Amino acid sequence: MSSIHTSARSDAPALRLAPLSQEPQTEQITDLSWRQADEDVFVATNRGEYAGFVSVEQNVHVVHDSHSRRIGSYPTLAAARQALVDATRPPSRRRERLRRRILERRR
């Protein structure tokens, strides 16, 4: 398994994510480092912990999370990487409150 850097530098600054709602939140930073494991496999880590991978199948980039669950297929490597960033982003407080209310109604 080689560790060839791709165009996304592993020493690049953290990607700062904008909050999804107008509600006050602490700033969230997702810091994914990418390594090319093979010609068609790119592996991501978040602060040293495995975060997922992107595999290239024909002309499609398939994203898997840290539990190897398929997230989706994307036409470009950049779009696939962004999908993994979005999947590793913690849910907003507003979305969590909504989820709890929905679950309480089902009881």
Side-chain angles (χ1 to χ4, degrees):
M1 184 187 269
S2 66
S3 61
I4 301 169
H5 289 308
T6 61
S7 60
R9 299 186 334 252
S10 61
D11 60 342
L15 175 63
R16 298 193 184 279
L17 303 171
L20 296 175
S21 68
Q22 297 301 325
E23 146 182 307
Q25 293 183 354
T26 58
E27 185 177 22
Q28 298 172 359
I29 300 174
T30 301
D31 184 17
L32 292 184
S33 300
W34 290 91
R35 301 268 180 174
Q36 187 170 1
D38 203 354
E39 287 183 22
D40 57 351
V41 178
F42 301 87
V43 178
T45 57
N46 185 357
R47 298 184 182 120
E49 296 292 321
Y50 174 70
F53 69 97
V54 175
S55 63
V56 181
E57 298 173 4
Q58 296 168 349
N59 293 330
V60 178
H61 298 80
V62 182
V63 182
H64 295 83
D65 67 6
S66 61
H67 301 286
S68 298
R69 292 181 296 228
R70 186 180 175 132
I71 294 172
S73 302
Y74 301 88
T76 65
L77 181 58
R81 287 180 175 183
Q82 185 59 48
L84 188 57
V85 168
D86 294 342
T88 58
R89 179 184 304 163
S92 68
R93 284 185 258 166
R94 183 178 184 184
R95 183 174 289 162
E96 276 299 303
R97 281 197 308 262
L98 176 62
R99 185 183 70 80
R100 275 190 244 123
R101 275 187 276 163
I102 292 170
L103 291 175
E104 287 173 3
R105 289 180 188 164
R106 291 182 181 173
R107 292 181 189 175

